[in-house]
Structure formats: C-alpha cells, structure tokens
Amino acid sequence: MPYRIALIDNEPAFLSRLVHLVQQITKQQSFPCTVHCFTSSFAIDALTYDAYLLDIEMEGMDGIRLAQEIRRKGSQSSILFVSGVEERVFEALRVQPLRFIRKSHLTEELPEALSALRNKLDEDNKNRLTVTTNRETIHLPVSSILYVEGENKIQHIVTKDMRHTVYLTMGYFEDKLVSKGFFRIQRSYLVNMDAVICIKKGEAILRDGTHLPISREKYAETRKRLEEVIFG
C-alpha cells in the first residue's frame, strides 16, 4: 500500500512546483506514495496522512498551528516544514518535525528529506498497527498502545490520549501484538507489558494510573512477563 503524503502551501505556483518535484524524486527513489495537495490548512480533508509537508506562513491556521493540531489529535505522522521563513525554525522544532526544508534551497534539500522520510515510514510501518474504525483508517505506533479492551466482537484500543473502537475480535489483536510484547491478562484485556509498572492485589497497574484485573489463571504468567520486561 503506498504512503499518503499531504502537501500544503497557500501559493499555487510554488505548490505546483513542489508537487512536481516530490513526484519526480519519489519516482527516482522508488518511494511508493500518493501525493495530495492543498492550498489551505482548512481545506485538508482529514488528519490521516502518513506525512505532511507544510508551509509555515499561511492564511488562517499557519503550518505550525496545524502541526500542533496534528499532534494534539495523537498523530505521530511525520511532519516536514517547507518554508521561506527561516527565523521560525526553532519555533517549528516544538512539534518534532523530521526536516526543515528551506524554499531557497528546495532542489538541494528535498531529495535527502524525502529519502529520510521513506526510511522513517518504512521503519514505523514495521512497528505500527493499522485498523479501520467506523470513521477512518488509523495507523497507531504499537508502543503508544496501552491495552486492548474487548466486548465480544467490539474492541477498544486504548492509548494515553485516545480510545479507538473497532469491530474485530480479540484473537485478531493477539495474532498481531503478542509477538510485540503484549499479553492477555484476562479474557477482556490484552496489555502492553511495557506499559505495566507493577502488579498489586490481582491488578496490573499501568503507567497512566489505570488498574486492570488479572485473572487467577494468568496471574503467575503475568508476573513472569513483567519480570522479563524489567530485568531483561
């Protein structure tokens, strides 16, 4: 499946040039992606892209504010700024962009930035879970998932900031996540053992303060798994 990249710049002429260059370079690099372009942050149809190339100075919500909104919604998608406003580079660093590309050095800096983006997306793809909710397809870094809570064929994927509901079985998530350090501590809970800070009175206590019940038959194995995480 190709990666989805959003390009946002309020100057149509520059946006057209950027689209052409991105398509040309990604073809040369055998970088599988589709490019979606927008002239306004308000025109973007959804915050579900794998990467964003953002101008900083735009009418309405500028690129930094849009990046903050992307992060606020829990997305860890890669952000690259493509801007002529070099004095705002330190402000831009607050949202942890992958690259800051100067418009005045576009042809020199864009190829390296896209190569770095491809490498990061490929690496992230190995360690993320892709599921479809009733509203959208989401890509979650496995490390961000605290636990999966089951209700028959409805499962809730819980992260620090979000709760996503999907119509899949718990068995599906066991197949995807057990090899990545998750353990089913009870019929209704599949837990990221990296998120467990201790076990107390038959409960697993997570780093966000959540208490989850451990079934009697899974208690000894849960303790063993936690010791393996702590002591290696």
Side-chain angles (χ1 to χ4, degrees), residues 111-140:
E112 186 280 332
L114 290 174
S115 177
L117 175 61
R118 167 71 185 279
N119 291 338
K120 184 175 187 303
L121 290 175
D122 284 348
E123 186 62 29
D124 289 348
N125 198 40
K126 296 175 186 176
N127 295 292
R128 71 177 180 176
L129 182 71
T130 300
V131 293
T132 300
T133 70
N134 59 353
R135 294 180 298 173
E136 60 187 3
T137 297
I138 56 174
H139 310 287
L140 294 171

Side-chain angles (χ1 to χ4, degrees), residues 98-219:
L98 181 65
R99 289 291 187 276
F100 189 101
I101 304 161
R102 296 170 293 177
K103 286 186 176 182
S104 58
H105 292 72
L106 185 66
T107 55
E108 298 94 336
E109 296 178 356
L110 188 59
E112 186 280 332
L114 290 174
S115 177
L117 175 61
R118 167 71 185 279
N119 291 338
K120 184 175 187 303
L121 290 175
D122 284 348
E123 186 62 29
D124 289 348
N125 198 40
K126 296 175 186 176
N127 295 292
R128 71 177 180 176
L129 182 71
T130 300
V131 293
T132 300
T133 70
N134 59 353
R135 294 180 298 173
E136 60 187 3
T137 297
I138 56 174
H139 310 287
L140 294 171
V142 169
S143 60
S144 73
I145 301 172
L146 298 176
Y147 62 94
V148 180
E149 180 181 0
E151 295 181 64
N152 298 318
K153 292 185 179 181
I154 298 175
Q155 315 301 320
H156 306 286
I157 306 169
V158 181
T159 69
K160 178 183 176 183
D161 303 307
M162 302 287 288
R163 185 181 179 92
H164 305 280
T165 299
V166 296
Y167 295 90
L168 294 165
T169 65
M170 183 64 83
Y172 172 86
F173 289 101
E174 282 193 284
D175 289 343
K176 296 287 185 181
L177 297 174
V178 165
S179 64
K180 299 182 185 297
F182 284 67
F183 182 63
R184 194 165 179 178
I185 64 171
Q186 196 247 27
R187 182 175 179 273
S188 299
Y189 295 102
L190 179 67
V191 178
N192 184 348
M193 293 305 297
D194 279 338
V196 179
I197 59 172
C198 69
I199 293 172
K200 190 175 183 180
K201 295 182 180 179
E203 293 182 321
I205 302 175
L206 277 54
R207 58 175 178 251
D208 71 335
T210 297
H211 290 227
L212 298 178
I214 305 171
S215 66
R216 185 174 302 173
E217 60 270 22
K218 293 293 185 74
Y219 188 79

Side-chain angles (χ1 to χ4, degrees), residues 66-80:
L66 176 58
Q68 291 170 339
E69 180 69 8
I70 292 168
R71 292 287 183 254
R72 188 187 69 79
K73 289 183 176 291
S75 172
Q76 296 302 311
S77 296
S78 294
I79 293 172
L80 298 84

